[in-house]
Amino acid sequence: LLVVWVILILVYVVGRLFFQVKWLFVPEFTEYFMVCVVFLSLAYTLRSRGHINIDIVLRRFSKRVNIILAAITAFLSLLITCYLVERGIDWFLYAFSSHMYSMGPMHTLLWPVFIIVPIGLTMLALELVLHIYRTVVQAVRGERAKSENLEWLGGKLLITK
C-alpha cells in the first residue's frame, strides 16, 4: 500500500512539474491512503513495541509496579478503543445507509474508507486484550510471558531481550 501511495504521488508531482497535468483524484486518495496506513498499523505497532516510550518517571519504580501500571494503562486503552470502535461502526453505518460521497472532485463513495477505522481499531483492541493477558500473567507469576517481552506506551516497563 505504501509503495502504491509513493508511486502515485511521484507520478502526480512529475506530471504537474513537467506536463502541467493535475490529477484530481491524487490529493483525495492520498488522504484515504493515510487513513489505511494509520488505522491498519495500530495493532502491529503495539505488538512490535513501536510506540514512543517516555520512561523518565517510570524508571524510578520497581518492575512489579511498572507491570501493574502497564496492565492498568492497557485496560484504560482498551476501554477507549472499544468506545472508538463503536463510534466508528456508527459512522460507517451512517455513511453506508445514506450513500455518503466525498465533497471532492472525485465524488468518492465513503463507506469503504470509513470501514477501515473500526477494522483497525478492532485489531488494536484484540492486541490490547492479548497485551493485558500477558501483563497479568507476568504480574501474577512474576515471570516473562512466553510469547514476547513486554513494554508499554508509558515506557520500558518490563523485561527486555
Side-chain angles (χ1 to χ4, degrees):
L1 184 63
L2 286 175
V3 173
V4 173
W5 186 14
V6 169
I7 291 171
L8 182 66
I9 291 173
L10 177 68
V11 171
Y12 176 70
V13 169
V14 169
R16 283 190 68 180
L17 183 64
F18 294 113
F19 306 110
Q20 284 72 39
V21 175
K22 183 176 179 183
W23 292 339
L24 298 177
F25 72 93
V26 174
E28 186 174 342
F29 279 66
T30 297
E31 294 170 1
Y32 302 149
F33 281 140
M34 284 193 305
V35 170
C36 293
V37 167
V38 168
F39 283 95
L40 295 179
S41 65
L42 290 172
Y44 172 76
T45 304
L46 177 62
R47 163 88 37 129
S48 65
R49 298 179 308 274
H51 292 286
I52 296 172
N53 294 317
I54 302 172
D55 60 353
I56 192 166
V57 174
L58 297 174
R59 278 187 271 171
R60 302 175 198 276
F61 298 131
S62 69
K63 287 183 181 181
R64 182 133 178 104
V65 170
N66 282 329
I67 292 169
I68 293 168
L69 288 174
I72 292 169
T73 304
F75 180 73
L76 293 174
S77 298
L78 179 62
L79 291 177
I80 293 167
T81 301
C82 288
Y83 172 75
L84 292 174
V85 167
E86 188 266 333
R87 298 304 304 156
I89 290 171
D90 288 346
W91 191 28
F92 158 72
L93 291 174
Y94 175 75
F96 184 78
S97 64
S98 64
H99 305 288
M100 188 181 293
Y101 290 89
S102 69
M103 295 177 68
M106 293 303 297
H107 201 64
T108 307
L109 188 61
L110 289 177
W111 71 261
V113 178
F114 287 5
I115 193 65
I116 299 298
V117 174
I119 288 172
L121 289 172
T122 300
M123 292 187 312
L124 176 62
L126 293 173
E127 188 60 38
L128 281 166
V129 169
L130 288 173
H131 183 77
I132 292 168
Y133 171 76
R134 291 181 196 120
T135 306
V136 169
V137 166
Q138 186 177 15
V140 170
R141 294 185 183 167
E143 62 188 35
R144 184 184 311 183
K146 292 181 181 179
S147 63
E148 70 176 311
N149 298 328
L150 300 176
E151 294 180 4
W152 189 238
L153 299 174
K156 293 181 180 177
L157 302 177
L158 307 175
I159 303 169
T160 58
K161 291 182 182 178

